[in-house]
Amino acid sequence: MNKKKRWYDYLWLASLLYFILGFFNIMFAWLGMLCFMIPLLFAVIGGNKHYCNKYCGRSQLSDILGRNLKLSADKPVPLWLHSRTFRYGFLTFFMLMFANMLFTTWLVFDGAHSLRQTVNILWMLQVPWQWAYSGSAEPWMAQFAFGFYSIMLTSNIMGITTLLFTKPRGWCVYCPMGTMTQLICTWKNKE
């Protein structure tokens, strides 16, 4: 029995389109802020994780890669990835990397640093990405875009790697946005 598709069942296309557009024009990386703000708004306003469970294009893409294309090992996610210690530690690490990205953006804005036209994959590997910046935006705006695209690409690589060894949505277990929204929901629902 085929379930009728709804509009939000196609949000995986937005996730895929984000990476494609950012590859050719880094300024599209700013759209990633939607993936950062919308889940938080769902959690703050609704006190729920509906975004993660229903609207997250990245988790839909993981389902397609894992279930439909059979790339997933379909094994349980290791218990240590479920642990609060790992999830909160990973969220802290991710937020420190985000803060570092903001600081680098500030340094470019302030003129203390020049624009770095690179994408950092897994926070260590700097890949030249100069073809994606035409020079039409302020350097600090481009620096933010390069940094944000780096974070989004790194988390996508981690998500795909996780699904190769676990269930398709294995990344969702320790996704920093999922952990943040869970914290917000827990706090909000105590009121």
Side-chain angles (χ1 to χ4, degrees):
M1 176 171 152
N2 284 341
K3 215 166 90 171
K4 185 179 178 191
K5 295 277 189 178
R6 296 159 303 246
W7 65 269
Y8 54 81
D9 291 327
Y10 298 98
L11 288 173
W12 66 272
L13 289 168
S15 188
L16 191 61
L17 189 60
Y18 172 82
F19 290 107
I20 293 168
L21 291 173
F23 182 82
F24 293 105
N25 184 339
I26 199 65
M27 296 311 290
F28 281 106
W30 278 84
L31 292 173
M33 287 301 293
L34 294 171
C35 297
F36 193 79
M37 298 307 295
I38 293 173
L40 296 177
L41 288 173
F42 267 82
V44 168
I45 295 169
N48 60 55
K49 291 186 54 139
H50 285 319
Y51 179 86
C52 292
N53 297 328
K54 195 183 243 184
Y55 302 110
C56 179
R58 188 170 303 193
S59 63
Q60 290 176 7
L61 187 58
S62 291
D63 271 341
I64 289 169
L65 294 173
R67 292 190 209 305
N68 300 7
L69 298 180
K70 309 278 190 237
L71 296 178
S72 173
D74 206 28
K75 294 184 178 183
V77 177
L79 290 177
W80 61 271
L81 284 178
H82 284 278
S83 74
R84 290 175 68 141
T85 304
F86 181 81
R87 288 183 300 115
Y88 295 157
F90 189 68
L91 172 62
T92 302
F93 175 75
F94 220 84
M95 294 310 292
L96 287 171
M97 294 300 103
F98 185 75
N100 183 55
M101 180 209 66
L102 292 176
F103 181 65
T104 303
T105 300
W106 170 255
L107 291 175
V108 172
F109 175 79
D110 196 39
H113 268 283
S114 59
L115 173 64
R116 296 181 194 153
Q117 296 182 50
T118 59
V119 168
N120 296 319
I121 298 176
L122 299 173
W123 301 286
M124 297 175 286
L125 181 62
Q126 287 193 348
V127 179
W129 217 265
Q130 64 276 5
W131 67 82
Y133 176 59
S134 66
S136 59
E138 292 290 324
W140 72 268
M141 293 177 78
Q143 187 63 61
F144 180 88
F146 279 110
F148 203 79
Y149 192 81
S150 297
I151 288 173
M152 295 291 280
L153 186 59
T154 291
S155 62
N156 205 45
I157 290 168
M158 293 178 74
I160 290 170
T161 303
T162 303
L163 81 81
L164 293 175
F165 296 100
T166 66
K167 296 200 174 284
R169 291 191 181 199
W171 162 254
C172 299
V173 169
Y174 65 100
C175 168
M177 290 308 302
T179 303
M180 263 195 293
T181 56
Q182 185 65 46
L183 285 169
I184 293 168
C185 291
T186 301
W187 168 76
K188 179 134 178 101
N189 292 322
K190 279 185 181 177
E191 294 177 342

